[in-house]
């Protein structure tokens, strides 16, 4: 059965479905503009209003793509993204209807662009401000529309959180923050061709503050650095940069003394045979591995003393899972 992490990685809506919906909208707009509706049977929707909705759809899609820079097209393949885009298109069509071109003296082209591009600004504005407690609250169409759009945006953001964290953790696992905090951004930015100086400066400032924090473990700092780079260069470029970095920044941290004390209380052969499976049971769902027995086979086949195999197993499991998971598994065995 597919675990929760794999379910989260699946797209919320097949891209083909989204492409089909957008294609239908586009074909409908073109059909209306080309006069495929005969004068005897006029179009149920004003062709210009349909074109305005299409402009609104484009605006909504652009907004979603700009918010999620690591995978800009992924929001378009999700239900929250499709609904967000549809709301933008509907708002544009409504603005076209509510603001007649004759009253503004606009040509058809300007009417379409004005309604399509300005609809969201119009419906996100407040008619007047009311002071509630210590805050000024704008009252108007924005009360409903803004809450709806924020809810859809947040729904997709939550759906992306799990696969982002899991993939970044896989990419950055074993990287020493002190060794990669300068080299990894440099490789990422040189692989890319259009990262602005402002983005580079902002990341440098974030790394500076992160480096100064003494209350954050080094592994967490590496993960935060990976997430920050993921937002700028994307998953594929980050993965490529880490591979280009090679083994230079992959540290083999010394084993924690507490883990060694627990290990000393156990039969080393049982540690080799049983510890991976127990770690896989007690770990967080995001860290579950499909075949922990492969690690048992790999280390058991090494021409080492059983005590050394147990120590090596401890090192590998600390890298694959984390210190707290391995410590919990060892306490189960004691």
């Amino acid at each position: 059965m597919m675990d929760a992490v794999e379910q989260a990685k699946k797209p919320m809506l097949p891209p083909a479905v989204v492409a089909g919906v957008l294609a239908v909208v586009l074909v409908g707009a073109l059909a209306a503009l080309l006069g495929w509706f005969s004068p005897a049977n006029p179009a149920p929707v004003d062709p210009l209003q349909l074109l305005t909705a299409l402009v609104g759809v484009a605006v909504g899609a652009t907004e979603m793509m700009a918010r999620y820079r690591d995978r800009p097209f992924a929001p378009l393949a999700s239900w929250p993204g499709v609904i967000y885009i549809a709301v933008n298109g509907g708002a544009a069509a409504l603005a076209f209807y509510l603001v007649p071109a004759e009253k503004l003296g606009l040509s058809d082209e300007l009417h379409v662009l004005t309604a399509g591009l300005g609809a969201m600004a119009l419906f996100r504005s407040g008619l007047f401000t009311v002071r509630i407690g210590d805050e000024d609250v704008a009252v108007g169409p924005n009360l409903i529309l803004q809450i709806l759009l924020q809810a859809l945006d947040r729904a997709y953001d939550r759906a992306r959180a799990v696969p982002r964290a899991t993939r970044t953790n896989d990419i950055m696992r074993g990287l020493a923050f002190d060794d990669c905090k300068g080299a990894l951004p440099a490789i990422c930015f040189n692989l890319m061709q259009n990262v602005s100086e402002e983005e580079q400066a902002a990341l440098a400032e974030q790394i500076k503050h992160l480096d100064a924090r003494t209350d954050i473990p080094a592994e967490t700092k590496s993960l935060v650095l990976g997430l920050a780079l993921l937002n700028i260069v994307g998953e594929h470029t980050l993965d490529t940069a880490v591979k280009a970095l090679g083994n230079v920044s992959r540290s083999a941290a010394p084993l924690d003394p507490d883990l060694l004390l627990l290990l000393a209380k156990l039969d080393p052969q049982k540690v080799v045979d049983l510890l991976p499976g127990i770690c896989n049971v007690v770990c967080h769902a995001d860290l579950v591995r499909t075949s922990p027995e492969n690690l048992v086979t790999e280390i058991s086949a090494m021409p080492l003393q059983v005590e050394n195999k147990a120590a090596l197993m401890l090192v590998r499991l600390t890298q694959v899972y984390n210190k707290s998971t391995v410590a919990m598994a060892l306490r189960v065995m004691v």
Side-chain angles (χ1 to χ4, degrees), residues 114-239:
T114 301
L117 298 176
M120 298 315 295
L122 172 65
F123 288 107
R124 288 177 183 176
S125 61
L127 300 178
F128 56 90
T129 301
V130 175
R131 189 165 187 81
I132 301 177
D134 296 331
E135 295 184 1
D136 293 328
V137 179
V139 178
N142 62 318
L143 277 179
I144 298 176
L145 189 61
Q146 192 72 4
I147 291 174
L148 174 62
L149 294 179
Q150 287 178 352
L152 293 170
D153 193 20
R154 187 61 57 87
Y156 179 74
D157 204 6
R158 286 194 296 266
R160 283 283 298 144
V162 173
R164 272 169 52 86
T166 303
R167 182 61 181 136
T168 306
N169 186 59
D170 290 341
I171 294 174
M172 300 295 292
R173 181 178 288 115
L175 280 177
F177 177 76
D178 288 337
D179 294 336
C180 72
K181 63 185 179 183
L184 187 58
I187 294 175
C188 286
F189 294 153
N190 278 282
L191 287 174
M192 300 289 288
Q193 300 182 34
N194 60 355
V195 179
S196 67
E197 293 183 1
E198 290 78 10
E199 288 176 308
Q200 296 184 42
L203 180 66
E205 190 66 22
Q206 185 176 354
I207 293 174
K208 180 181 176 181
H209 286 297
L210 191 61
D211 196 20
R213 295 283 297 272
T214 58
D215 58 329
I216 300 179
E219 295 139 0
T220 305
K221 290 182 179 180
S222 295
L223 179 59
V224 174
L225 174 61
L227 288 169
L229 285 169
L230 190 73
N231 290 336
I232 300 174
V233 303
E235 177 183 314
H236 180 67
T237 302
L238 177 61
D239 191 24

Side-chain angles (χ1 to χ4, degrees), residues 173-177 179 218-219 222 247-254 315 319:
R173 181 178 288 115
L175 280 177
F177 177 76
D179 294 336
E219 295 139 0
S222 295
N247 296 323
V248 175
S249 298
R250 292 198 177 272
S251 61
V315 172
Q319 294 172 345

